[in-house]
Amino acid sequence: MTITIEYYLVLSAFMFLVGVAGVLIRRNAIVVFMCIELMLNSANLTMIAFASFLGSSVGQLFVFFVMTVAAAEAAVGLAIIIAIFRNKLTVNIDEINILKW
Amino acid sequence: MYNNIQEFYNTLPLVIVAAGILISTVIEMYSNKSENFLSWFSIIVFLASGFYSLFTLDARSIVLQNMLATGGYVNIFHFIFTFSAAIVCFLSIDYLKKYDAYFGEYYILMQTSVLGMMMMAGAKDLFMIFLGLEVMSVSFYVLAGINRKRLTATESALKYFLLGAFATGFIVYGIALIYGTAQSTSFETITAKFSELSGNLLFLTGVLLFLIGFSFKIAAFPFHMWVPDVYQGAPSTVAGLFSTAGKAAAFSAIIVSLFVLFTSGAMRIITPYLSVISVLSMFFGSIVAIAQTNIKRMLAYSSISHAGYLIIGLAASNTEGIAGIIFYLAAYSFMNLGAFGIVSIIEGKEETNLELNSYRGLGTRQPLLAALLSLFMFSLAGIPPFAGFFGKYYIFIAAIEAKLTWLAILGVLSSVISVYFYLRLVVLMYFYDSSEQIEIEKSNSGLLAVFISAILVVLLGILPGSLLNLIISYL
């Protein structure tokens, strides 16, 4: 059996949906952040699959950019989570609710 | 890299800001008293870059291996970004002293965010859109929580970060699908193939995900939930930057990426989607703003409804609509910065004086600030002869020309509703008296910034045609 591009696309779409569902359902800020990383990685997988299917290297290049940006985002995001933990001693987004109508 | 020296000159607005970032970092490393110096240095960097781009509108070219466009309306966007950022720097000088919250990275991050915006406005490739967006957003996440000892600021940073990164996920996945179906990341190739691809479900999903991601960034209705919390929790000056330059940058990215499609009318297939989003944003923003008691939250909901008006211009998808959006963004940036500027001057230590009731009787105690705030409120409400009126006028005209008269009528209705909460503030200032006196610290640089915005709002209101003709001739 040969593995065609559809398999990769379905797998990455499934990963993306898991990520979206995780962001909407989970309440721990760090887990939510991990789900966002999952969404970015599913996009990377799509990009790699297309790059190999089309025989163009642009997609692979793009993945390097996405990984770099994700690393920068992770640095900032974890710093923000630490800052809020120092103030409030929790990272549960249901309890972080002083800004409310 | 650059093919000739002219290309280098054309990208000079970006190069100035990038050099400014490096120099500011070095200054911050070696100086103990960078606070005063860096603020003025960044103002000079922003003004140099802004006026250079305004004087080189004719230098239209595509540089760096088809990655970046320069000149024309791109430079008008550069001017809006840099000038707004310069005004925010003026406001920040005294605001940061009041909160005792100066950190060396504040002005540097402001410069990096502006560099990201400029990359987005000039993008010719999905690479540049993505990189510019992330450079801007990551700087914004940090700026929102810059006052890291306050719980409100860190909470707003967390909310902004989580939802902003969520939106980025949508944009990256959309870009992946667009790349796979169009076999290229260059806008030229994608727009050339657009009509043959418009039957491809994967491609349309990609475009839709891309637009959903940007709806987060421009704060349109179903994706607006972060806006009030972030604007309320973030420092007032930074919130002013988010709501003006940040929104203008996201719109510039949508305009440049879909520009050819908008002007050729091929974008009509997503007009229904845009119309629904714009109607919902306008009415949701205007109606919920009425119930607000905190002025920063009220301005946040008003910014949601302004996003709705701007999307009318996208839905019209003709040249007049795009010109109207650029005019509206310029007008909106200056009037909203003025309003946030006055809020940041009146705001006391420990986030006091932010309730609407603290503005009672301001007309007698602070006649100058009250008069200027009323001017900005009239302009935001769209009352002639201020800039806000002509912004709405041009966009509604474009909608009528695109046979979307019903959308224009709903827009007018929504702005009638919004008059209520803008004018309520004016009424509170002039027709009510307050027993308690609020203390307001003097801020000369802040007042100067508010004055500049007021002059621009009045000028754009008196001579709207000059800017609009300039925009149209460079589209």
Side-chain angles (χ1 to χ4, degrees):
Chain A
M1 185 182 104
T2 53
I3 296 181
T4 54
I5 183 162
E6 284 82 10
Y7 289 87
Y8 293 103
L9 292 187
V10 170
L11 174 66
S12 62
F14 178 70
M15 264 170 75
F16 185 77
L17 289 179
V18 170
V20 172
V23 172
L24 298 177
I25 293 168
R26 300 304 293 263
R27 297 271 65 100
N28 183 311
I30 294 177
V31 178
V32 169
F33 180 54
M34 282 161 64
C35 292
I36 291 169
E37 291 291 307
L38 195 63
M39 287 166 67
L40 291 179
N41 283 328
S42 80
N44 283 353
L45 185 62
T46 317
M47 215 98 72
I48 291 285
F50 275 128
S52 134
F53 175 69
L54 301 170
S56 89
S57 58
V58 180
Q60 293 177 15
L61 261 176
F62 211 112
V63 170
F64 280 106
F65 280 87
V66 174
M67 288 195 306
T68 318
V69 163
E73 230 173 30
V76 166
L78 292 176
I80 290 172
I81 293 175
I82 289 173
I84 203 158
F85 186 77
R86 282 192 180 145
N87 278 324
K88 184 111 181 176
L89 293 180
T90 177
V91 289
N92 185 322
I93 34 187
D94 283 338
E95 290 169 38
I96 301 169
N97 57 4
I98 50 166
L99 296 174
K100 228 183 210 170
W101 178 19
Chain B
M1 282 307 288
Y2 297 108
N3 290 327
N4 53 47
I5 193 77
Q6 187 57 42
E7 290 195 351
F8 175 74
Y9 288 143
N10 291 349
T11 54
L12 211 53
L14 285 93
V15 174
I16 292 173
V17 177
I21 296 167
L22 296 177
I23 297 170
S24 317
T25 316
V26 174
I27 293 173
E28 171 55 30
M29 272 160 67
Y30 292 105
S31 159
N32 300 325
K33 289 182 183 154
S34 60
E35 178 168 358
N36 287 318
F37 184 72
L38 265 190
S39 56
W40 290 103
F41 179 73
S42 15
I43 290 169
I44 291 168
V45 167
F46 286 138
L47 289 182
S49 164
F51 282 106
Y52 185 84
S53 40
L54 202 60
F55 290 124
T56 52
L57 285 175
D58 286 314
R60 307 186 76 162
S61 62
I62 295 172
V63 297
L64 300 175
Q65 277 83 36
N66 279 331
M67 282 285 175
L68 200 67
T70 63
Y73 70 99
V74 175
N75 274 13
I76 298 178
F77 272 122
H78 290 348
F79 180 75
I80 297 176
F81 303 150
T82 46
F83 208 76
S84 314
I87 290 178
V88 173
C89 286
F90 272 121
L91 291 170
S92 306
I93 297 173
D94 285 326
Y95 185 83
L96 292 178
K97 281 197 189 115
K98 182 157 60 188
Y99 269 92
D100 196 17
Y102 175 74
F103 296 101
E105 59 267 35
Y106 182 83
Y107 292 107
I108 302 173
L109 283 169
M110 211 172 269
Q111 291 172 30
T112 50
S113 70
V114 169
L115 183 67
M117 295 172 199
M118 292 165 97
M119 281 161 71
M120 270 157 91
K124 274 278 159 197
D125 198 289
L126 289 168
F127 268 97
M128 292 304 278
I129 289 271
F130 173 66
L131 283 180
L133 178 75
E134 284 308 293
V135 170
M136 180 189 90
S137 304
V138 172
S139 317
F140 273 1
Y141 305 149
V142 186
L143 278 177
I146 195 89
N147 199 352
R148 58 184 170 231
K149 293 195 185 86
R150 294 204 70 83
L151 186 56
T152 43
T154 43
E155 179 178 331
S156 89
L158 181 72
K159 285 182 174 164
Y160 195 20
F161 166 71
L162 286 180
L163 288 168
F166 188 50
T168 303
F170 280 97
I171 292 172
V172 176
Y173 197 65
I175 289 176
L177 292 180
I178 293 172
Y179 160 67
T181 44
Q183 311 188 2
S184 167
T185 53
S186 153
F187 289 140
E188 249 168 280
T189 325
I190 295 170
T191 43
K193 285 185 182 170
F194 192 82
S195 50
E196 78 181 81
L197 282 169
S198 56
N200 189 329
L201 202 61
L202 263 188
F203 180 72
L204 286 183
T205 318
V207 173
L208 200 65
L209 285 172
F210 188 77
L211 282 178
I212 287 177
F214 271 101
S215 305
F216 267 100
K217 302 282 175 188
I218 60 177
F221 169 63
F223 315 107
H224 66 278
M225 17 356 164
W226 57 275
V227 184
D229 291 356
V230 171
Y231 286 13
Q232 190 191 348
S236 303
T237 49
V238 175
L241 189 70
F242 292 170
S243 66
T244 57
K247 196 188 281 268
F251 267 102
S252 77
I254 298 180
I255 290 175
V256 294
S257 54
L258 308 170
F259 183 71
V260 183
L261 306 175
F262 278 127
T263 44
S264 69
M267 220 50 206
R268 293 271 152 73
I269 46 169
I270 57 163
T271 295
Y273 168 77
L274 292 173
S275 313
V276 170
I277 282 196
S278 93
V279 170
L280 289 174
S281 318
M282 286 186 304
F283 280 93
F284 180 83
S286 308
I287 291 169
V288 180
I290 292 174
Q292 300 304 317
T293 54
N294 181 303
I295 186 158
K296 277 162 91 178
R297 279 187 100 79
M298 188 193 96
L299 286 172
Y301 281 104
S302 108
S303 115
I304 295 172
S305 80
H306 280 284
Y309 302 126
L310 286 158
I311 298 173
I312 293 182
L314 291 183
S317 67
N318 50 18
T319 322
E320 291 84 4
I322 303 298
I325 291 179
I326 299 176
F327 183 91
Y328 198 142
L329 282 172
Y332 170 76
S333 294
F334 298 127
M335 59 201 187
N336 215 30
L337 270 180
F340 268 106
I342 290 178
V343 170
S344 79
I345 292 173
I346 290 178
E347 183 178 344
K349 283 177 190 157
E350 309 291 318
E351 294 176 57
T352 48
N353 303 346
L354 283 174
E355 297 299 307
L356 285 179
N357 280 334
S358 11
Y359 286 77
R360 273 168 188 259
L362 204 70
T364 49
R365 278 178 283 120
Q366 295 280 343
L368 182 64
L369 285 181
L372 287 169
L373 187 56
S374 323
L375 185 149
F376 294 125
M377 286 298 136
F378 283 128
S379 180
L380 281 166
I383 293 171
F386 298 114
F389 168 74
F390 288 99
K392 278 181 187 150
Y393 173 77
Y394 290 135
I395 281 186
F396 293 156
I397 290 286
I400 290 168
E401 275 184 24
K403 303 207 168 50
L404 289 168
T405 316
W406 63 275
L407 203 54
I409 291 171
L410 286 177
V412 173
L413 271 181
S414 154
S415 60
V416 169
I417 299 173
S418 71
V419 168
Y420 173 76
F421 64 83
Y422 290 127
L423 290 198
R424 186 179 55 179
L425 190 61
V426 178
V427 170
L428 272 177
M429 286 193 297
Y430 282 102
F431 298 105
Y432 284 87
D433 239 340
S434 163
S435 49
E436 48 183 310
Q437 294 278 325
I438 53 168
E439 286 205 11
I440 295 167
E441 284 181 37
K442 268 186 75 171
S443 160
N444 288 328
S445 55
L447 212 54
L448 175 68
V450 174
F451 257 121
I452 296 172
S453 330
I455 290 169
L456 283 167
V457 167
V458 173
L459 266 185
L460 285 181
I462 298 171
L463 306 162
S466 50
L467 178 64
L468 192 80
N469 291 337
L470 189 75
I471 295 168
I472 287 178
S473 62
Y474 283 106
L475 269 182

